[in-house]
């Protein structure tokens, strides 16, 4: 891997800082894996990525190249500058111990992306209760417009597919290789990322 | 109005407490109005209503009678026990000063439901940054399943329509009569509520 490239092992998470203007690329190296992404303002950690603001301003639930990701204060945090997949989710919260307890047979329940994000972001003082809906890269959640029903299907991403985000402010990023069987077709795979 | 009934004037908000087992009924007295609803656990105010948890467990974006509203800790806060409309939104954040700055010509921009919720919930120590996606009673946000595009259309509620929630824990409730022209068809109307 290149010096500015990193691997997140299966069912784990990472946290790191990027500066305004830098481009974060999230790569699905094997295909069919999900990466939950959080963004927090370095200048004030109470400013965080907001699904509700973003969907309101974007007027779509399927975000892709050209869309902006907003904070809870309606500031632009990230701009999607490239996307080889075109299907990501911004409706669902990171899977958690409770998700595994309620939806899966994992014994003991895995701490999930929520636990992994909390663990990775703890050094930045982020509490588990503070973690909002993440931008779930490659997660495939089609919605039936007539009934409202949603399904969590395997990602459409193939090996090497990627999505890139240009930072519009200095950010702390939380990123996972997802732990939930349903969101990645039952396989647990790594996620790669690069900062340019 | 009955002794246990209350009015929220147009473009304002209220906060109040309900006990586990009590039923909150939100009424649209004139029709075509939206009410943003927040729920916060009395026992620990860091536990709040979560759109992402709720949509994940309900497997639908259109919640109605029988659906449960979950907290960020995956506990059931409210159960929808009655609904004469069948169309509410749980995707978008409360309208805010930024919404009015970005989407409307209001001068000076109105503080919106976000400002109204913050003002009403301030005595409970809730900061504006902490306010998550609200359950937007009567808000009509159809999603095109194929393209993901969403629209904010006038509510389907007629005069006297209502939705009821049974509390599953002791809660602090924040509730508004919405301030955004797009969500209520350009009119500003009151909201009524009742606690039984």
């Amino acid at each position: 891997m290149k010096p500015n490239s990193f691997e997140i092992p299966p069912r784990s998470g990472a946290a790191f800082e990027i500066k305004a203007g830098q481009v974060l690329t999230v790569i699905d190296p094997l295909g069919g894996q999900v990466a939950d992404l959080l963004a927090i303002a370095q200048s004030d950690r109470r400013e965080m990525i907001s699904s509700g603001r973003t969907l309101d301003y974007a007027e779509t639930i399927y975000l892709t190249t050209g869309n902006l990701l907003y904070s809870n204060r309606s500031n632009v945090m990230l701009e999607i500058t490239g996307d080889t997949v075109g299907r990501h989710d911004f409706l669902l919260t990171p899977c958690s111990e409770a998700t595994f307890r309620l939806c899966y047979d994992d014994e003991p329940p895995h701490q999930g992306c929520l636990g992994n994000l909390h663990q990775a972001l703890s050094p930045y003082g982020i509490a588990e209760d503070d973690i909002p809906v993440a931008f779930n890269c490659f997660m495939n959640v089609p919605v039936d417009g007539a009934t409202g029903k949603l399904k969590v299907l395997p990602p459409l991403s193939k090996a090497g597919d990627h999505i890139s985000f240009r930072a519009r402010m200095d950010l702390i990023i939380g990123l996972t290789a997802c732990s939930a069987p349903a969101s990645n077709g039952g396989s647990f795979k790594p996620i790669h990322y690069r900062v340019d």
Side-chain angles (χ1 to χ4, degrees), chain A:
Chain A
M1 299 178 74
K2 294 183 191 168
N4 58 342
S5 294
F6 305 91
E7 175 166 299
I8 302 176
R11 301 190 108 180
S12 72
F16 51 92
E17 298 178 26
I18 60 176
K19 294 286 175 198
Q22 286 190 307
V23 175
L24 166 67
T25 300
V26 180
I27 304 147
D28 184 357
L30 304 177
Q33 174 59 306
V34 165
D36 289 8
L37 183 150
L38 286 183
I40 299 150
Q42 283 185 27
S43 60
D44 185 340
R45 294 169 191 175
R46 293 168 300 183
E47 182 167 14
M48 292 192 177
I49 194 167
S50 167
S51 64
R53 290 272 160 247
T54 300
L55 300 182
D56 198 0
Y57 299 143
E59 298 183 331
T60 179
I61 61 168
Y62 299 141
L63 301 164
T64 186
T65 307
N67 282 127
L68 305 172
L69 305 188
Y70 286 83
S71 75
N72 52 350
R73 296 181 187 173
S74 290
N75 296 314
V76 178
M77 301 191 107
L78 294 161
E79 176 187 353
I80 303 178
T81 53
D83 178 10
T84 64
V85 179
R87 175 58 60 92
H88 314 279
D89 170 68
F90 207 7
L91 300 181
L92 307 184
T93 30
C95 61
S96 68
E97 187 180 317
T99 320
F100 283 94
R101 199 162 16 87
L102 292 167
C103 309
Y104 297 110
D105 292 328
D106 266 45
E107 281 300 339
H110 193 272
Q111 69 175 0
C113 285
L114 185 72
N116 287 331
L117 285 166
H118 177 226
Q119 196 174 319
L121 289 165
S122 282
Y124 294 101
I126 307 300
E128 190 164 282
D129 284 326
D130 295 336
I131 293 178
V133 173
F135 184 82
N136 303 306
C137 305
F138 315 125
M139 191 170 185
N140 182 14
V141 183
V143 172
D144 181 315
T147 65
K149 297 282 180 205
L150 61 85
K151 287 181 189 166
V152 178
L153 297 183
L156 303 178
S157 48
K158 306 294 178 201
D161 270 333
H162 49 87
I163 179 170
S164 296
F165 307 86
R166 184 180 301 277
R168 291 282 195 94
M169 60 172 78
D170 295 350
L171 293 171
I172 301 158
I173 298 290
L175 192 66
T176 69
C178 185
S179 312
S183 61
N184 52 33
S187 66
F188 305 118
K189 297 168 180 171
I191 282 290
H192 292 178
Y193 69 92
R194 202 173 68 223
V195 179
D196 297 291

